[in-house]
Amino acid sequence: MKSKKKRRRNLILCSVAVIAAVYLCLCFSMRLTVRDTSLAKEECMLYYIVNVDGMKGLGHSILLIVDGEGCGRVFSFNGMQRSLGESLLGKSGVGKMSVGEMTAEETEAFLRTGDLKLDGDQLADNYDMALYRPISAEDCRTILEQLAPYYAAEEQFAELYGKWAGEDDIDRKAEYEQALEQFGREEGLPLYQLYTYNCDHAARALVSAIDPEMREYTQRSWRMTPNGNLKAFGKKAENWGVMALGGQSFSEKILFFLMIF
């Protein structure tokens, strides 16, 4: 009996060791090293950036466009309609596309240190890694045009919410509340859903408007986290540059190394 238990325990330990070894090999295969972009110089620059320990360790993605004068504009998509608990349960809702602008000096400081100091959701935090590439002024305009549905959804939601908040009649208030709930499930809107359309999905969707490699990757990707997607796309898109923003703590380095899904 003891011999059987011992063999079973050894088998379990060996299985765990094999799984751990395979996982570590996958982590090593996903490592990104700093490199310059091989794409031709253009007027503007595009940065796909992740905060490694954002969103409780899953990561948070933002997009940065730097114009010909060196000034930056940052885009961060977050849930607005749902609470954290509802989001974890998979409920969709209207999101908010927070936008922040920086001078050339502020942009340079951000890319050097990773410290973002703007107003808005996830716009006052420390960011860690970025993929980047040059883009044309026309590319910039194309990306900005993709923001229209996000802004339209926010405005419609704000108008409906204002009617609900200002209504005193109980029956009418219930109707507005039902309309708000339905609005958060409307197909065709760029709704925030933690598992299927979060900050990273939105960032990659904007990039996909001008980058065929990102468009192809997004159509076929299966990674669940911003950290995993940034590394997987960085390995695939070898013509994009890779850079670190400031220094990473030991825990951030370990987290980024281990996060491959």
Side-chain angles (χ1 to χ4, degrees):
M1 182 65 72
K2 287 184 178 180
S3 179
K4 279 189 176 181
K5 287 184 177 179
K6 187 176 181 179
R7 284 200 300 270
R8 188 180 303 164
R9 184 183 64 185
N10 290 339
L11 179 61
I12 292 173
L13 290 175
C14 288
S15 299
V16 170
V18 169
I19 292 172
V22 170
Y23 188 82
L24 286 176
C25 287
L26 290 174
C27 290
F28 274 108
S29 71
M30 291 286 291
R31 289 180 67 194
L32 284 179
T33 56
V34 173
R35 66 176 185 245
D36 291 329
T37 177
S38 62
L39 294 171
K41 186 175 177 61
E42 295 276 6
E43 304 98 311
C44 307
M45 292 295 294
L46 176 66
Y47 296 83
Y48 167 40
I49 305 173
V50 70
N51 175 12
V52 169
D53 57 353
M55 192 56 189
K56 309 301 183 183
L58 298 178
H60 179 76
S61 299
I62 60 173
L63 210 62
L64 168 66
I65 294 177
V66 180
D67 63 22
E69 303 299 319
C71 299
R73 188 179 296 183
V74 184
F75 306 94
S76 172
F77 188 58
N78 292 270
M80 177 173 66
Q81 183 176 1
R82 302 300 183 187
S83 66
L84 177 59
E86 290 175 321
S87 295
L88 289 172
L89 290 174
K91 285 193 172 184
S92 63
V94 177
K96 180 174 179 58
M97 183 67 75
S98 294
V99 181
E101 297 186 357
M102 297 182 285
T103 64
E105 292 77 16
E106 291 170 335
T107 302
E108 187 278 329
F110 169 55
L111 292 174
R112 177 168 40 83
T113 66
D115 293 328
L116 194 57
K117 303 174 182 179
L118 299 171
D119 293 329
D121 291 332
Q122 308 290 331
L123 294 186
D125 215 326
N126 177 263
Y127 285 81
D128 304 289
M129 294 294 296
L131 303 179
Y132 66 95
R133 59 156 294 179
I135 59 174
S136 66
E138 180 60 32
D139 289 335
C140 289
R141 287 190 286 272
T142 299
I143 291 175
L144 295 178
E145 288 171 358
Q146 309 308 308
L147 296 167
Y150 298 91
Y151 297 151
E154 289 177 36
E155 290 176 4
Q156 293 176 55
F157 177 80
E159 181 180 357
L160 190 57
Y161 184 85
K163 291 179 179 179
W164 171 83
E167 183 59 63
D168 293 325
D169 182 79
I170 295 177
D171 292 334
R172 288 289 293 166
K173 197 175 186 73
E175 290 178 9
Y176 283 133
E177 186 170 353
Q178 185 176 4
L180 284 169
E181 183 67 25
Q182 179 60 36
F183 193 73
R185 297 194 298 265
E186 283 291 333
E187 294 185 6
L189 294 179
L191 299 175
Y192 183 94
Q193 210 278 356
L194 184 61
Y195 306 110
T196 60
Y197 201 82
N198 55 39
C199 60
D200 190 66
H201 293 91
R204 287 187 285 115
L206 294 176
V207 176
S208 294
I210 58 94
D211 189 274
E213 282 188 294
M214 179 63 88
R215 186 159 55 249
E216 181 184 359
Y217 172 80
T218 296
Q219 290 172 348
R220 301 180 179 181
S221 66
W222 58 269
R223 314 282 170 169
M224 296 177 60
T225 67
N227 289 328
N229 277 308
L230 184 131
K231 290 199 293 184
F233 179 68
K235 294 293 288 186
K236 176 180 173 61
E238 296 180 354
N239 55 352
W240 281 61
V242 180
M243 64 182 292
L245 282 64
Q248 295 180 12
S249 67
F250 178 75
S251 61
E252 286 176 332
K253 291 179 180 178
I254 294 296
L255 178 61
F256 193 58
F257 174 74
L258 294 175
M259 192 65 71
I260 61 174
F261 295 113

